[in-house]
Amino acid sequence: MLTTSLAVLASALQPASAISPAKATDLCLDSRMRKMAADLVGTWSQNYPFARVIIGSDGQYGDLGVPHPAVTGSNFVVCAASYNLIKVGRDGRSYSVTMDRFYFRITDTGEGYQVSLEDLPDSLEGTGMTSRELIGRFKIDGRPYADILAENQRHIEGRRQ
């Protein structure tokens, strides 16, 4: 079962009997967990117009950089990872969409594992995060997406004059 968590990584709730470092690392590196996290980024991207544009329906084809444990608990690990997606533009040239850092949680439910996004909220409402902060996490071909948006806006305004 795939879900998206609205929890913020800043919680310092770490039980005394956390899962072992080796097990936490194995879970973060597990290809099935990484695939589920990439799928969730793709699903998440449909909630925001800018993300639908740059990720679209191809989010599940993204790749996670080498994830590593950031926080462990008695039945979960929060993994830090990067995200990279290669897309093909309208002109037939490829480009990359990247997010240098995001967090996903793997929870042992007793019957298997559940993966959720830790710091990519379904909605900004009630999170204290701004759309500018969220947009600022993405790059296109290594350039900050916020810069590309500003450049496009200047180009559009120049045409109007």
Side-chain angles (χ1 to χ4, degrees):
M1 180 170 143
L2 300 178
T3 61
T4 302
S5 172
L6 294 178
V8 177
L9 180 63
S11 68
L13 303 173
Q14 190 169 355
S17 59
I19 61 174
S20 74
K23 178 68 174 177
T25 298
D26 288 347
L27 285 170
C28 289
L29 293 173
D30 187 283
S31 62
R32 296 165 296 180
M33 303 303 143
R34 293 169 71 172
K35 171 69 172 122
M36 283 192 263
D39 286 348
L40 284 172
V41 171
T43 302
W44 167 86
S45 72
Q46 301 310 299
N47 295 330
Y48 296 93
F50 86 89
R52 276 196 309 269
V53 170
I54 64 174
I55 295 175
S57 60
D58 297 326
Q60 73 272 14
Y61 302 117
D63 182 42
L64 273 55
V66 180
H68 62 277
V71 177
T72 57
S74 61
N75 71 335
F76 73 91
V77 60
V78 174
C79 306
S82 60
Y83 178 81
N84 184 50
L85 172 65
I86 303 299
K87 299 237 344 163
V88 177
R90 290 184 219 138
D91 62 0
R93 287 188 249 168
S94 66
Y95 62 95
S96 68
V97 176
T98 58
M99 184 174 22
D100 291 338
R101 175 81 53 192
F102 81 104
Y103 297 89
F104 64 97
R105 178 185 292 253
I106 303 169
T107 304
D108 184 348
T109 65
E111 297 177 11
Y113 293 101
Q114 177 180 334
V115 177
S116 59
L117 298 177
E118 191 68 12
D119 64 335
L120 295 174
D122 284 334
S123 166
L124 293 178
E125 190 173 315
T127 66
M129 183 183 284
T130 66
S131 60
R132 180 179 290 281
E133 288 175 272
L134 199 53
I135 288 170
R137 297 176 75 183
F138 290 88
K139 293 180 182 173
I140 306 293
D141 285 340
R143 291 183 59 211
Y145 186 58
D147 292 353
I148 293 169
L149 286 175
E151 184 178 292
N152 288 344
Q153 187 63 36
R154 284 190 302 273
H155 182 70
I156 290 168
E157 288 172 4
R159 284 183 172 173
R160 290 182 188 158
Q161 294 176 356

